[in-house]
Amino acid sequence: MTAVIDEPTTRKVRGWAAPPRPVWEEAPTRAGLAGKGIVLVLACLAVVFPLWIVIVTSLSTRRTIDEAGGLVMVPKDITFIAYQELLSGGQVTRAALVSIGVTLAGTLFSMTVSVLCAYGLSRTDSLGHRWILMTLLATMFFSAGLIPTYLLVQTLGLTDSYLALILPSAISVFNILVLRGFFMNISQELVDSARIDGAGDFRILWQIVMPLSRAVIAVITLFYAVGYWSAWFNASLYLNDQNMLPLQNVMIQLVQKQEAPVGLGQAIRTGQLSGLAVQMAVMVMALLPVAVLSPFVQKHFKKGMLTGAVKG
Amino acid sequence: MSHSTVPRSKAEATKPVEEPAAPGDAAGPPDAPPRGKQGKRGKLSLRLRYRRDRVLLLMTLPAVALVLVFHYLPILGNVVAFQDYDPYISDNGVVSILNSPLVGLENFQRIMEDSAFWNALKNTLVLFFLQLVLFFPIPVLLALLINSVIRPRVRAVAQAILYLPHFFSWVLVIAVFQQLFGGAGIFSQLLRQNGHDGLEVMTNPDTFMFLLTAQSVWKDAGWGIIVFLAALASVSPDLYEAAAMDGAGRRRRMWHVTLPALRPVIALLLVLRVGDALTVGFEQILLQRDAVGPGASEVLDTFVWWNGVRNQDFGYAAAAGLIKGVVSLGLVLAANKVAHLMGEQGVYKK
């Protein structure tokens, strides 16, 4: 009797197998299961199918694409010629490097500033704590507006500089609050004992607080990195030099305005390479990093969402 | 003892002075100014607190500086809204502002008479309501669906797939839609091969608002389920068991246990969304503005962009932006007020 009742109700079995149902739960009907399965599969297909087409077309030869009359659904004669062409120098290579550079530098900068600030605000009785917190929080309620911000960046002389892609959007107050929420929950005894042993604040942050907050730091890093990787508007606003544009902006020109990438016209004209495959390859380059990285952090996403509520 | 293990509970944080230190709490050395012992606050002089906390202050400095420069400083730039701003005076915005004539409320008068502005406002509100009705319920339903999947691996894979588009840029999302529904997209391709006309959804002004909503759903509906899943996971299984023992079937358990658990989250998200009502789809629309024309696509944010960045009519654009900013601020504050009245937390605490 008790053995049956003690069956796990929290459902923490790993793997593909279904954990045992609690005894009080009715067995599901076949129709119900089938209905749920179909909806779930359709929802997932809605995401996967377009990506599949894009990836397969980017790997297709000119002939396969012509035979299919455009986009390719079934892979045949896989070729990497589009990627080879795009990555052998020229506009897209440069744009990809720009995007990678801005993303790495920007994320490092954003994380440093955010983690420091979150730790600096993690003690509710510290000097000026309340004022600083209010100053940050208030920015979640208003925005100065596009035009004044534009004029400011111009006045600061950041136009045509990569700093214009990093500084104006470098920190998200929300992310700082999430980090702070985690830092505040770290056992005070631990921090105090480190202090008694002579550790300063920087050392406590680096050796105690950060290692204990790895999960949330991973999530916030991903959020910042995705933000930089996906950004295009600031570049369109502040960069006049075509050669400085990041990948997203080049993708706009390629896919939306159907322009061939500079320096690639030759390969397309000679007929080895389909312009469509080139477009799709650029799209794959834009989606690959996030598609590869985000699942690793997936189980911690929740941590980056819920502690936004402000304490203190 | 329980006091010292949970030193930063809400009650202590908000009312530090009234909370006396527990008698057995004086564990730290009495000479060092203790931090984290809330009871002693206010007894320390400013100078001592500064000496104790200067490293913490130093740590917040970069973030505060960034916020002051890039969020607070530009507020002053809104003076442009009351000027006939001439961007060609100088590359330096301050010099231009100082040398441009003040015109009072002229820009605002022009806006009131501009049908394009009212059209942008109308589009903004239409899109907001459309997304509220068509977008908002989907994450709730998807979360219920995922929550009912009990195989852990299936669940993780489905979540990974559904979250993915959230991390795509708008450029990519629109490019993907172009490949599906565009004039040369896969569906047009299939239709033409079967002797039908191709699709024109991507360029059709009449259905543009629905297209925008569909793109938003594709990108963010999956991501939206996280909050609801967390709320569902926090429901004690005992509640379900007790309900089942009392004879409640699946449907009644859903109605009496599951939905009440979601109610506060739904209410809060709705309220916050309303506070953000005037900010809809800026990047998304900007990327497609040329395809459908401003009549069908212009919202307040793109109106500002067009008049300022494109037409270099900065005073006029700033005025429109200022109107939007002020109304938005009012909406956000009102929305938070409502959240508090409903007993929820909102963005900030009372």
Side-chain angles (χ1 to χ4, degrees):
Chain A
M1 176 75 187
T2 47
V4 178
I5 290 175
D6 284 344
E7 286 285 65
T9 45
T10 42
R11 295 172 173 171
K12 271 188 182 152
V13 186
R14 304 218 159 262
W16 293 104
R21 279 176 190 275
V23 279
W24 47 265
E25 197 171 305
E26 308 86 338
T29 60
R30 277 191 181 211
L33 271 185
K36 281 197 308 195
I38 290 173
V39 175
L40 198 58
V41 167
L42 283 180
C44 291
L45 269 185
V47 175
V48 172
F49 174 66
L51 303 184
W52 170 256
I53 295 178
V54 168
I55 293 171
V56 169
T57 308
S58 78
L59 296 171
S60 294
T61 56
R62 170 113 207 194
R63 220 184 52 214
T64 321
I65 289 175
D66 286 345
E67 275 170 17
L71 296 156
V72 185
M73 274 190 278
V74 190
K76 210 176 93 184
D77 302 336
I78 296 295
T79 166
F80 287 91
I81 181 169
Y83 295 92
Q84 281 165 6
E85 286 287 334
L86 285 175
L87 293 176
S88 61
Q91 193 188 16
V92 174
T93 316
R94 201 167 42 225
L97 289 176
V98 167
S99 280
I100 292 171
V102 169
T103 302
L104 289 180
T107 308
L108 187 66
F109 179 69
S110 293
M111 278 313 282
T112 310
V113 173
S114 302
V115 166
L116 282 177
C117 180
Y119 181 80
L121 290 175
S122 66
R123 293 165 179 270
T124 48
D125 63 338
S126 70
L127 180 65
H129 165 271
R130 210 172 165 72
W131 284 101
I132 297 173
L133 193 62
M134 287 301 157
T135 307
L136 296 182
L137 263 180
T139 61
M140 294 172 90
F141 294 96
F142 69 86
S143 126
L146 173 64
I147 300 303
T149 309
Y150 176 81
L151 295 178
L152 174 75
V153 172
Q154 205 181 31
T155 306
L156 293 177
L158 297 179
T159 325
D160 278 323
S161 151
Y162 287 127
L163 287 179
L165 308 191
I166 295 179
L167 289 181
S169 51
I171 56 169
S172 140
V173 171
F174 183 82
N175 287 348
I176 291 182
L177 293 179
V178 171
L179 287 168
R180 172 177 174 265
F182 270 79
F183 293 174
M184 286 172 83
N185 282 337
I186 286 174
S187 147
Q188 195 60 38
E189 279 76 9
L190 207 58
V191 176
D192 285 346
S193 67
R195 194 176 303 283
I196 290 167
D197 288 345
D201 278 306
F202 280 100
R203 197 179 164 119
I204 291 174
L205 172 60
W206 184 252
Q207 293 196 331
I208 295 178
V209 173
M210 284 184 65
L212 285 173
S213 316
R214 274 202 207 107
V216 71
I217 285 178
V219 174
I220 302 296
T221 306
L222 180 78
F223 285 176
Y224 275 129
V226 167
Y228 284 112
W229 183 255
S230 304
W232 61 274
F233 180 66
N234 279 353
S236 78
L237 214 51
Y238 301 127
L239 302 185
N240 299 311
D241 183 354
Q242 287 287 312
N243 291 328
M244 288 178 74
L245 288 181
L247 192 62
Q248 304 286 344
N249 297 69
V250 170
M251 185 157 72
I252 299 176
Q253 295 173 358
L254 246 61
V255 180
Q256 290 218 303
K257 299 179 182 157
Q258 305 279 329
E259 294 164 11
V262 180
L264 261 190
Q266 194 63 27
I268 295 175
R269 262 198 304 278
T270 51
Q272 308 160 328
L273 185 57
S274 158
L276 198 61
V278 171
Q279 286 179 26
M280 299 303 120
V282 174
M283 285 172 69
V284 173
M285 285 164 66
L287 76 82
L288 209 56
V290 281
V292 169
L293 288 182
S294 70
F296 284 106
V297 196
Q298 180 186 341
K299 64 171 185 276
H300 303 306
F301 281 161
K302 213 165 68 178
K303 297 195 174 73
M305 306 282 293
L306 294 170
T307 34
V310 183
K311 297 172 237 173
Chain B
M1 198 59 221
S2 68
H3 260 94
S4 56
T5 49
V6 199
R8 293 178 186 282
S9 72
K10 247 178 285 170
E12 265 177 296
T14 44
K15 312 181 221 163
V17 186
E18 291 150 20
E19 193 87 16
D25 229 3
D31 50 328
R35 192 153 53 191
K37 297 282 184 265
Q38 307 278 354
K40 304 228 169 159
R41 181 186 166 180
K43 288 181 186 167
L44 288 173
S45 72
L46 204 62
R47 209 166 61 89
L48 266 178
R49 289 179 71 203
Y50 169 74
R51 274 186 53 187
R52 188 190 62 183
D53 293 337
R54 59 188 168 191
V55 181
L56 294 185
L57 281 172
L58 186 72
M59 285 172 155
T60 58
L61 200 61
V64 171
L66 277 172
V67 163
L68 288 181
V69 172
F70 288 103
H71 289 266
Y72 284 91
L73 194 56
I75 296 177
L76 299 176
N78 275 308
V79 71
V80 168
F82 305 94
Q83 286 188 321
D84 182 14
Y85 181 82
D86 183 354
Y88 301 106
I89 294 178
S90 159
D91 273 350
N92 188 320
V94 177
V95 176
S96 297
I97 286 178
L98 291 177
N99 289 302
S100 296
L102 279 168
V103 291
L105 297 177
E106 196 188 290
N107 288 322
F108 294 92
Q109 278 168 0
R110 263 172 70 206
I111 286 177
M112 291 302 132
E113 290 155 15
D114 186 348
S115 64
F117 174 78
W118 294 107
N119 177 52
L121 180 63
K122 188 201 80 186
N123 283 340
T124 307
L125 294 177
V126 167
L127 186 56
F128 165 68
F129 280 111
L130 212 54
Q131 299 209 337
L132 204 59
V133 175
L134 296 181
F135 181 110
F136 201 83
I138 293 179
V140 182
L141 298 176
L142 273 179
L144 290 175
L145 180 65
I146 295 270
N147 194 53
S148 74
V149 174
I150 58 176
R151 286 166 205 267
R153 199 65 68 82
V154 176
R155 206 168 147 148
V157 170
Q159 276 170 284
I161 292 174
L162 293 175
Y163 293 161
L164 193 55
H166 171 75
F167 297 104
F168 295 165
S169 64
W170 274 117
V171 181
L172 187 62
V173 171
I174 288 156
V176 163
F177 266 70
Q178 189 78 40
Q179 307 315 325
L180 287 180
F181 303 109
I186 191 85
F187 289 122
S188 292
Q189 197 175 305
L190 291 175
L191 283 170
R192 274 204 211 90
Q193 281 163 5
N194 293 306
H196 301 283
D197 289 338
L199 293 172
E200 277 174 20
V201 237
M202 294 300 286
T203 50
N204 186 346
D206 299 331
T207 55
F208 185 62
M209 290 289 155
F210 290 95
L211 176 70
L212 290 176
T213 310
Q215 289 165 347
S216 298
V217 168
W218 192 77
K219 186 175 194 289
D220 282 328
W223 182 249
I225 69 182
I226 292 186
V227 194
F228 298 114
L229 278 183
L232 289 173
S234 69
V235 184
S236 160
D238 297 348
L239 283 179
Y240 287 105
E241 181 168 355
M245 290 302 163
D246 289 344
R250 271 173 193 289
R251 229 164 276 169
R252 297 199 58 185
R253 288 205 300 272
M254 167 81 78
W255 186 254
H256 291 293
V257 181
T258 310
L259 288 183
L262 290 183
R263 193 194 59 94
V265 186
I266 295 178
L268 181 62
L269 289 183
L270 266 180
V271 162
L272 295 182
R273 186 69 202 88
V274 170
D276 228 11
L278 295 186
T279 308
V280 278
F282 174 60
E283 289 193 4
Q284 187 187 3
I285 293 172
L286 213 51
L287 288 166
Q288 302 177 87
R289 196 176 177 277
D290 295 342
V292 289
S297 68
E298 199 89 290
V299 289
L300 289 178
D301 283 334
T302 57
F303 180 84
V304 172
W305 173 84
W306 173 259
N307 283 292
V309 178
R310 274 298 162 88
N311 281 352
Q312 302 280 302
D313 194 349
F314 285 96
Y316 190 60
L322 190 56
I323 294 176
K324 190 222 147 188
V326 170
V327 175
S328 285
L329 180 61
L331 277 175
V332 174
L333 293 177
N336 271 282
K337 189 90 197 157
V338 174
H340 292 153
L341 287 178
M342 294 191 319
E344 311 293 348
Q345 259 228 328
V347 178
Y348 62 91
K349 224 164 43 186
K350 253 182 284 199

